[in-house]
Amino acid sequence: MRIHIIRLISIQLWKQSLQNKAVIVLLMILSLLFVFAAYTGWQDYKVQEDTRVKHQVDVRHQWENKPDKHPHRMAHYGYLIFRARYPLSFFDYGLERYMGNSVFLEAHKQNTVNFSEAGFSSGMLRFGEVSTAMILQTLIPLFIFFLGFSCISAERENNTLKVLISQGVRWKELLAGKILGLLCLVGLVFVPVMLLSAVMWFSLTGFKGTVDEFLRLFWIAGAYLIYFFIVCSVCVMVSAVSKTSRSSLVKLIGLWLLFIVIIPRTAQAFGAYLHPAPSKIDFDTKVENELVKTGDSHNPNDSYYKGIKDSLLQAHHVKTVEELPFNYSGYIMAEGEKISSGIYNRQWQKQLDIYENQNSINRSLAFVNPFQAVKDLSTALTGSDFNSYIYYQEQVEAYRYQLAQLMNKLQMENISNKKQQENDKPYTISKDHWKELPDFQYRFIGQRALFQNEIASVLSLLVWALGLLFILHFMSKTIKIN
């Protein structure tokens, strides 16, 4: 192919489009939408993160300044964790509004992450929010279709297509020039958006962004570039095979509705139908029923834990729990925590398997629908996807278990086995021990695990891009002028 011919065709499309006042108006509207979405996302992240840090500091201060107490009382007093957002989540909200913002941690019980913004919002939230990613995924394809629906069909209608071909322009060069011209027009909006996003990300991190965050922003830009190439190629191909511009526009609007509205909604409903998930009440009931079978660690006469007591007495060659070298109640609480956590984790894994089966429907359709692929990859890279939420819950549960077992360990080591009399002062330990619990540090999911989870999305975009290149090559040999 001759590069200078491709460049001339792309420049001609560029100039022709920018001479249209409607295109200029659309560019201005899109620019305003992007500025609005970027600012609201930046402001929302900043407010929430400032609030989270403030409350987390208050919680830690209250925990460390609790008076001398019995360790088991502190285990039930609990700890409050506020979910941190990934700095790039201002770009793509993903599931942010539905994830919940705080979780209360206590012994023997796994609480859910509560106070999601969706729970306090009206039903309008289901229609989506204006985020930078939403505009790029849904409105930019419409903009491309508006620009390119007649890029070749109009040439055919005006009989200028025959002139171009008769003058020696090859179909490959014509198709490539039109695609390049559309991509350059999209770049008028996309490049400033990515630069603005980079500036906002850097400001949100206090100008201390990490390499991981920079690489994620780079991958986001790359994913959307491939996505726009796919959309531009489809637009040019449809225009090339359509006899009239009207039929080209109808086909493109139909494809937009199919890929962006119909297929994603249908896939969600189909996944929930094939793999129904139990409600929270059903899940809690299953956990409770299994816990009942293992006994009650708070009941000294429970038959299951009585067996543990007998084996302890035999192992230490003593006759009563008062003679044990550690606090017997603390040991039983630690065993009870280990058992209850194991039961909860097994049931939770079954729940996750159901969600995984539901999500697999969407992931499999990513090979059919590039919109689904770029959407999943975008939310994953901005830390606002389902896998990031599960990763957070796993860390929270590990921290809750650490808290409970630390309190049980303190009870075993510092509380006497001697039974208290009626007028005895309650057993307590120094509040200095509360500082032994490290503060919760959330680790965001790493890029290796991220791309392993989203391998289908990455492959889908690459397969679509390479497949379209092959189809364009084939079309250039078979397409007709009339």
Side-chain angles (χ1 to χ4, degrees):
M1 289 190 296
R2 293 165 293 181
I3 302 299
H4 69 280
I5 298 296
I6 295 174
R7 185 171 64 250
L8 284 174
I9 294 172
S10 64
I11 292 173
Q12 186 266 341
L13 177 63
W14 171 286
K15 291 181 178 179
Q16 188 177 21
S17 298
L18 292 181
Q19 287 173 357
N20 189 338
K21 292 182 179 179
V23 174
I24 302 299
V25 172
L26 278 176
L27 284 171
M28 292 177 62
I29 292 174
L30 283 173
S31 299
L32 290 174
L33 276 175
F34 276 121
V35 171
F36 171 77
Y39 174 75
T40 54
W42 176 84
Q43 183 69 16
D44 179 70
Y45 175 89
K46 190 173 185 303
V47 170
Q48 287 203 22
E49 190 64 10
D50 290 345
T51 304
R52 182 195 70 82
V53 171
K54 176 182 179 302
H55 288 313
Q56 199 65 71
V57 170
D58 290 343
V59 168
R60 184 66 188 183
H61 178 76
Q62 292 173 10
W63 171 267
E64 293 184 352
N65 288 276
K66 293 299 290 183
D68 297 350
K69 279 182 179 292
H70 192 286
H72 196 66
R73 288 186 176 274
M74 284 297 288
H76 281 289
Y77 170 78
Y79 202 87
L80 196 61
I81 293 292
F82 296 91
R83 183 175 60 85
R85 290 175 55 178
Y86 195 76
L88 293 177
S89 62
F90 77 93
F91 182 90
D92 191 340
Y93 298 151
L95 298 177
E96 277 295 335
R97 300 295 187 251
Y98 304 90
M99 286 183 180
N101 294 302
S102 65
V103 56
F104 179 65
L105 311 181
E106 57 180 322
H108 314 306
K109 188 177 181 181
Q110 291 82 0
N111 296 310
T112 56
V113 187
N114 296 315
F115 303 113
S116 67
E117 292 185 52
F120 298 97
S121 302
S122 65
M124 291 298 292
L125 188 62
R126 72 185 63 180
F127 294 102
E129 297 172 289
V130 181
S131 68
T132 304
M134 186 276 287
I135 299 173
L136 292 174
Q137 293 165 14
T138 61
L139 297 186
I140 291 297
L142 271 180
F143 177 65
I144 292 172
F145 290 165
F146 173 76
L147 291 175
F149 76 95
S150 62
C151 63
I152 295 181
S153 59
E155 303 273 12
R156 179 179 284 114
E157 289 176 308
N158 297 331
N159 291 322
T160 55
L161 185 58
K162 291 181 180 180
V163 177
L164 283 172
I165 300 300
S166 64
Q167 289 179 343
V169 176
R170 301 166 189 167
W171 270 109
K172 278 186 181 180
E173 296 167 345
L174 181 61
L175 295 173
K178 298 293 185 180
I179 292 172
L180 180 60
L182 287 176
L183 280 173
C184 290
L185 287 168
V186 173
L188 285 175
V189 177
F190 181 64
V191 172
V193 164
M194 294 310 300
L195 291 175
L196 177 63
S197 298
V199 171
M200 288 189 164
W201 153 68
F202 210 46
S203 67
L204 285 174
T205 59
F207 302 98
K208 298 178 181 178
T210 64
V211 175
D212 177 79
E213 293 162 5
F214 174 78
L215 285 175
R216 289 200 190 200
L217 193 62
F218 176 79
W219 297 130
I220 288 171
Y224 278 102
L225 276 177
I226 297 174
Y227 177 61
F228 294 146
F229 169 76
I230 293 170
V231 175
C232 290
S233 299
V234 170
C235 180
V236 172
M237 287 167 53
V238 170
S239 182
V241 299
S242 299
K243 292 184 177 181
T244 64
S245 297
R246 178 178 295 180
S247 65
S248 173
L249 181 60
V250 171
K251 292 173 186 175
L252 290 171
I253 295 299
L255 288 174
W256 184 85
L257 289 172
L258 178 66
F259 287 124
I260 293 181
V261 179
I262 297 175
I263 291 180
R265 301 295 182 185
T266 304
Q268 290 176 1
F270 196 58
Y273 174 76
L274 288 180
H275 308 284
S279 65
K280 185 179 184 303
I281 295 177
D282 293 335
F283 175 79
D284 290 341
T285 301
K286 289 180 181 179
V287 173
E288 189 63 31
N289 289 339
E290 195 168 346
L291 281 172
V292 169
K293 297 177 183 178
T294 61
D296 182 5
S297 59
H298 289 74
N299 181 8
N301 298 317
D302 184 89
S303 58
Y304 178 83
Y305 288 96
K306 186 177 183 300
I308 296 178
K309 182 179 74 172
D310 293 339
S311 63
L312 274 176
L313 295 178
Q314 184 177 1
H316 288 82
H317 307 290
V318 294
K319 295 182 179 180
T320 63
V321 295
E322 286 81 3
E323 299 176 70
L324 290 171
F326 52 82
N327 183 269
Y328 168 72
S329 296
Y331 180 86
I332 290 297
M333 291 303 162
E335 287 297 309
E337 188 65 50
K338 187 185 300 182
I339 293 170
S340 63
S341 295
I343 291 172
Y344 175 86
N345 290 333
R346 284 195 300 273
Q347 292 294 337
W348 179 238
Q349 188 57 52
K350 292 179 181 178
Q351 190 91 341
L352 289 181
D353 291 341
I354 295 174
Y355 293 146
E356 179 65 23
N357 291 332
Q358 290 180 351
N359 292 333
S360 66
I361 304 295
N362 268 335
R363 278 199 300 273
S364 61
L365 286 175
F367 289 98
V368 179
N369 186 2
F371 165 75
Q372 188 65 52
V374 77
K375 181 182 179 182
D376 291 344
L377 191 55
S378 178
T379 55
L381 288 168
T382 55
S384 58
D385 64 325
F386 181 72
N387 289 319
S388 297
Y389 179 58
I390 297 304
Y391 195 66
Y392 167 75
Q393 285 193 311
E394 290 174 351
Q395 292 183 53
V396 166
E397 169 56 20
Y399 185 78
R400 185 206 66 81
Y401 185 77
Q402 179 186 12
L403 182 153
Q405 295 297 52
L406 175 61
M407 295 301 108
N408 291 327
K409 177 175 175 290
L410 291 173
Q411 180 176 345
M412 290 173 63
E413 295 175 350
N414 299 285
I415 300 297
S416 172
N417 267 325
K418 182 182 177 182
K419 289 185 177 180
Q420 288 182 286
Q421 302 301 318
E422 186 175 347
N423 296 323
D424 287 348
K425 182 181 178 181
Y427 288 138
T428 61
I429 62 175
S430 170
K431 67 177 185 179
D432 293 336
H433 288 288
W434 312 149
K435 295 180 181 179
E436 294 181 24
L437 177 70
D439 203 4
F440 178 72
Q441 298 293 331
Y442 176 45
R443 303 179 308 279
F444 293 104
I445 190 169
Q447 288 194 38
R448 177 177 293 183
L450 185 154
F451 282 110
Q452 286 176 348
N453 294 330
E454 298 300 329
I455 186 66
S457 301
V458 175
L459 289 177
S460 170
L461 291 176
L462 295 177
V463 167
W464 266 89
L466 295 175
L468 285 172
L469 287 174
F470 175 79
I471 294 173
L472 287 167
H473 173 75
F474 179 77
M475 280 183 60
S476 66
K477 297 180 178 181
T478 60
I479 195 169
K480 297 179 181 180
I481 298 177
N482 295 322

